[in-house]
DNA sequence: CTGAAAGCGCTAACAG
DNA sequence: CTGTTAGCGCTTTCAG
């Protein structure tokens, strides 16, 4: 299989040009036209057995594999599903695990793309990534937490996970954010907390708005009035929640509990609290949202609201594939339940 | 910006053909040639300011963004780095998080590809993915746990993480697997265990061979003789380690502790043990390897050997970029340290 | 300053 | 059964 003595080598220099063998290289070495090679490689009829065999031999020798790029430009489908994310962090990678598990056996391949080089604050990343890839590189798209109205690309199935604007427009998959936030708040209230801080997510995401609403609703339902100065925005990211977290914890009348809109910022709250000499949960209770694996790894382990992240990813993938195979674009909206996961970061408030 | 009254719409139908606007659409609407559009979009000199402005307006109106595929076919570089994995599971996604964090500010974009639709047992996935993407779609490659000799693609920088055959050939990044395995074993021995089972990884991976060697060395150094019937292969995957795990735990003279070659199979050992009515760590101690976030989330939390997964990914990315920018292919080999993370899955053996 | 034309690697008619 | 041709969307000489 490796370059045997019989393999013609006269064109070796040219083959090296780009670093990989092209269909032209195969054709030349096999002494046939590129069209024939293409037919053989794609298993089309109309090629003599002997020819096919010879071509296949050369293909093996040269380690040829058709370029996804070139093929995709010519054909209208690539059999790859794209997952567009702003960044690879615990939330998107959990979805990815679910998608990856679900793609097994479907015959599709997976391509996760992160444009704008990690600059997740760069608005418009989703539209840009979509334009660059959809319709050429990928047949269908799962897009994670888009914050823009998606320009409905006709012909390219799109499913949005946790989109900026709830179940509307394109197909979506999300969680019961309102109910989950209510549950989180009720948990804190049941523990005896009355002065509760809320560290919000990104106001441009429906999930963040619903979580805040759930917080306020649960407080109100319990006869408590949320202190507006205790409701801050943390952007779902530690680097952006650091300031508001300090604001929350350094004030004299600091809350006895904080509900952070996602695990990453909740974990950061715990760290900041500890730097400030506060014990969690004795001095401060903290609850998060998401239940990414990291939540269990914090010290103390984080109490949180679990979303079925793997299932959300898997469902989004199934929806894309269904749209692909049926040709329809009926925009379905799936909402998954959430549940409370009690760990060690919440406890009754200090007796004081 | 959005289609204003002045925007010519006569070709709207054609624009919709593939679902996205192409450079041709922009050229037609702007009333210039595609060459001019290309120059404007790429900021080349030699375009009248007025023309450029008009083109940019149309670009904005149509939401045009050049196709990664078409551009990549024409130019020789795309500014995207590819991460090739067999599957998105905790190990590869941890690396991905590190890579994603490290790419910030480099100007490169990230593309993680999983060929063969999750069929990680399909040998040759790495060669196939490489041939399909390298040299066309991506400028450089980080490849995770390849099990084949990589056909050194001239001109395409490749860095392998945890490769099948240690620091040799192409650039690599790995951990001190030997030392880590020794540490894990010594931890168990220090606790008083003498009858220790070893659930290995994939024998086609250097990491797995080194971990087994470390286990044997540490046992021997402590004057213990590893029972060959207690040394099984688990393939690093729960679905493949299930059988050997049962074999290990169901025998009358079962070990009092198990060292599993990675966290995923260690967590599975805990689950199987509990199904069998064994208490962890009272009846059985379990230690893993990797320290993926999931390790802390198991019940009980898993004691394990931590690899600096994020750092490994970041380092691999840095190496690829360095090769890209310098044009050199000096194959560097980076090895990172490991450390013991004690949690609750290990304890002294039952008094019996 | 602008456009026509060639070509990246590949596939799909269509001739021979 | 095989090869020639055209063209996917884009960039890049090279003429005008």
């Amino acid at each position: 299989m490796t370059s045997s003595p019989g393999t013609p080598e006269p064109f070796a220099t040219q083959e090296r040009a780009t670093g990989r063998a092209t269909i032209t290289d195969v054709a030349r070495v096999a002494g046939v036209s590129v069209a024939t090679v293409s037919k053989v490689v794609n298993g089309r009829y109309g090629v003599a057995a002997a020819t096919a065999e010879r071509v296949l031999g050369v293909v093996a020798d040269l380690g040829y594999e058709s370029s996804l790029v070139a093929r995709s430009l010519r054909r209208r489908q690539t059999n790859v599903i794209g997952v567009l994310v702003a960044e690879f962090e615990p939330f998107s990678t959990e979805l990815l695990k679910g998608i990856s598990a679900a793609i097994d056996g479907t015959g599709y391949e997976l391509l996760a793309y992160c444009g704008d080089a990690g600059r997740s604050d760069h608005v418009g990343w989703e539209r840009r990534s979509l334009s660059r890839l959809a319709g050429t590189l990928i047949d269908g798209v799962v897009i994670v937490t888009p914050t823009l109205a998606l320009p409905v690309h006709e012909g390219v199935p799109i499913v949005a996970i946790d989109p900026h604007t709830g179940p509307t427009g394109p197909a979506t998959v999300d969680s019961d954010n309102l109910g989950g936030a209510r549950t989180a708040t009720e948990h804190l209230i049941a523990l005896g907390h009355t002065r509760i801080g809320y560290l919000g997510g990104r106001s441009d995401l429906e999930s963040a708005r619903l979580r805040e609403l759930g917080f306020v609703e649960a407080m109100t339902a319990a006869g408590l009035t949320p202190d507006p100065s205790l409701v801050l925005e943390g952007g779902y990211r530690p680097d952006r929640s650091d300031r508001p977290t300090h604001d929350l914890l350094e004030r004299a009348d600091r809350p006895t509990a904080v509900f952070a809109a996602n695990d990453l910022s909740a974990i950061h709250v715990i760290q900041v609290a500890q730097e400030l000499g506060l014990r969690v949960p004795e001095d401060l209770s903290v609850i998060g949202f998401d239940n990414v694996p990291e939540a269990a790894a914090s010290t103390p382990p984080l109490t949180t609201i679990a979303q079925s992240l793997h299932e959300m990813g898997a469902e989004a993938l199934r929806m894309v594939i269904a749209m692909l195979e049926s040709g329809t674009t009926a925009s379905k909206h799936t909402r998954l339940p959430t549940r409370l996961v009690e760990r060690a970061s919440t406890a009754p408030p200090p007796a004081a």
Side-chain angles (χ1 to χ4, degrees), chain A:
Chain A
M1 287 307 156
T2 54
S3 69
S4 55
T7 306
E9 296 275 7
F11 303 102
T13 313
Q14 287 197 39
E15 282 166 26
R16 300 279 123 90
T18 99
R20 65 180 280 281
T22 71
I23 196 174
T24 309
D25 297 322
V26 175
R28 192 175 38 211
V29 174
V32 296
S33 73
V34 296
T36 300
V37 176
S38 176
K39 283 172 195 152
V40 172
V41 168
N42 294 292
R44 301 272 181 275
Y45 288 107
V47 179
T51 310
E53 199 178 339
R54 179 154 42 95
V55 170
L56 253 14
V58 176
V59 165
D61 274 2
L62 265 39
Y64 169 75
E65 198 70 52
S66 78
S67 158
L68 214 210
V69 162
R71 162 180 300 206
S72 128
L73 194 53
R74 189 60 239 257
R75 310 229 295 192
R76 272 324 181 176
Q77 59 134 307
T78 57
N79 252 272
V80 357
I81 309 284
V83 180
L84 271 30
V85 305
E87 191 183 351
F88 290 106
E89 27 66 42
F91 181 79
S92 57
T93 52
E94 282 312 295
L95 295 172
L96 211 44
K97 289 173 194 171
I99 296 174
S100 182
I103 206 161
D104 201 1
T106 61
Y108 289 92
E109 315 205 315
L110 215 49
L111 166 357
Y113 184 75
C114 164
D116 291 327
R119 300 182 35 67
S120 64
D121 51 309
H122 185 288
V123 293
W125 64 268
E126 53 281 270
R127 216 174 44 74
R128 180 158 178 276
S129 292
L130 212 44
S131 292
R132 300 194 61 177
L133 307 188
T136 35
L137 228 206
I138 54 188
D139 292 348
V141 182
V142 173
I143 182 161
V144 181
T145 59
T147 59
L148 251 48
L150 299 177
V152 182
H153 273 259
E154 309 77 2
V156 182
I158 300 181
V159 174
I161 295 183
D162 191 18
H164 74 126
T165 173
T168 172
T172 62
V173 173
D174 66 8
S175 283
D176 178 13
N177 289 297
L178 185 65
R182 231 162 4 203
T183 302
T185 312
E186 285 161 1
H187 169 68
L188 258 16
I189 294 172
L191 249 19
H193 294 272
T194 54
R195 187 156 179 77
I196 304 176
Y198 176 76
L199 184 61
R202 293 165 40 182
S203 55
D204 54 353
L205 247 26
E206 170 87 343
S207 61
R209 290 191 295 269
L210 287 173
R211 288 174 202 177
E212 180 169 334
L213 183 60
F215 166 71
V216 172
E217 281 188 8
M219 288 290 278
T220 308
L224 298 170
T225 309
D227 180 340
S229 72
L230 254 36
V231 176
L232 270 32
E233 179 162 338
Y236 280 153
R237 302 168 53 100
D239 57 0
R240 243 181 289 176
S241 69
D242 187 64
R243 188 70 259 133
T245 300
H246 275 94
D247 290 348
L248 227 37
L249 302 187
E250 286 172 359
R251 46 193 291 169
D253 59 344
R254 66 177 151 71
T256 61
V258 172
F259 170 20
N262 75 337
D263 286 349
L264 245 34
S265 40
I267 291 169
H268 188 66
V269 169
I270 293 180
Q271 290 166 347
V272 171
Q274 288 166 345
E275 284 164 15
L276 259 30
L278 298 173
R279 291 166 306 158
V280 176
E282 294 81 356
D283 302 321
L284 181 79
S285 282
V286 179
I287 188 168
F289 203 114
D290 280 352
N291 196 31
V292 291
E294 280 80 354
S298 70
T299 312
L302 184 71
T303 293
T304 191
I305 298 296
Q307 299 195 63
S308 309
L309 266 10
H310 292 193
E311 184 50 35
M312 287 170 77
E315 174 61 14
L317 179 74
R318 275 182 232 118
M319 284 163 65
V320 169
I321 291 179
M323 291 163 84
L324 228 33
E325 321 235 287
S326 70
T328 62
T329 317
S331 60
K332 187 179 161 191
H333 301 287
T334 305
R335 169 155 296 169
L336 274 59
T338 57
R339 64 172 216 285
L340 174 68
V341 175
E342 287 192 60
R343 282 196 276 249
S345 66
T346 50

